[in-house]
Amino acid sequence: MESIPLFDQSALRIQDCGPKGRGVVTTTLIPARATIDISPILLFPSEEYSVHGQYTQLDHYTYRWQGGMALALGLGSMFNHANKPNVGFQRDFVNKVIRYSALRDIQAGEELCISYGPNLWFPDMEKDEQDQAEGHGADGAGNWSGTDGEDETGDSLLTRLQFSDVEDEVSALEKP
Ligand SMILES: C[S@@+](CC[C@H](N)C(=O)[O-])C[C@H]1O[C@@H](n2cnc3c(N)ncnc32)[C@H](O)[C@@H]1O
């Protein structure tokens, strides 16, 4: 295993993010591509997880991993979900870590969010907040109006990183 550097996280805060629970917020600008965290993981082998882990709180936090499910130790377990994440991640199976980096410049005061993938196991409060801010909303049948803002991803950096680094990770938090 490589020797893994640790990062100065003194500009980050764990704070109450309303209905999402706790989340990670930055107090300073984080430039695009900057590494935010490298979280070591704790691996739960598939058999153990299917008998125990999946019936516990762990199931809200674990990532799919080779041979089982993994809990990110540290910040990696604190990122909330966003459909338009500002943080991407890559699982490093050899070194048993997950590397998190900024997909774009992240301004002071912004919450740092990853994408958990399309199949969430909870009502997405971030989507509700974003739709309200954009003037969209659910009709009585629960159908949402408005586009998902494809054209807002005109930022080529975001697009490039999402496809190269994030696309294959996007389902990592989905449950088997
Ligand atoms: C990996 S944990 C994130 C940290 C968590 N907020 C906490 O306080 O421990 C995942 C859980 O956070 C909540 N969560 C994350 N993103 C959310 C979102 N966009 N809307 C609502 N709840 C969210 C859900 O309860 C989910 O099961």
Side-chain angles (χ1 to χ4, degrees), residues 45-116:
S46 303
E47 194 179 325
E48 181 182 319
Y49 198 82
S50 62
V51 175
H52 301 291
Q54 68 168 322
Y55 301 111
T56 71
Q57 283 295 318
L58 274 179
D59 213 39
H60 291 259
Y61 294 85
T62 43
Y63 294 67
R64 285 173 182 262
W65 205 265
Q66 286 177 349
M69 298 293 282
L71 179 69
L73 302 175
L75 270 194
S77 283
M78 286 292 105
F79 295 119
N80 285 321
H81 164 83
N83 292 318
K84 294 175 188 167
N86 50 18
V87 174
F89 62 90
Q90 283 190 306
R91 291 165 294 178
D92 176 343
F93 297 120
V94 173
N95 292 297
K96 296 198 175 95
V97 295
I98 306 174
R99 299 170 200 277
Y100 298 87
S101 55
L103 292 173
R104 59 168 170 76
D105 287 349
I106 306 174
Q107 305 300 325
E110 279 194 76
E111 183 183 354
L112 308 189
C113 290
I114 61 174
S115 169
Y116 296 0

Side-chain angles (χ1 to χ4, degrees), residues 14-37:
I14 301 284
Q15 65 184 56
D16 184 1
C17 291
K20 293 183 277 189
R22 297 163 296 175
V24 183
V25 174
T26 180
T27 60
T28 58
L29 173 90
I30 301 175
R33 295 180 182 277
T35 300
I36 293 164
D37 190 37

Side-chain angles (χ1 to χ4, degrees), residues 158-172:
L158 176 61
T159 306
R160 189 164 60 248
L161 281 169
Q162 278 190 325
F163 280 104
S164 62
D165 295 350
V166 180
E167 190 73 3
D168 66 337
E169 304 294 351
V170 87
S171 300

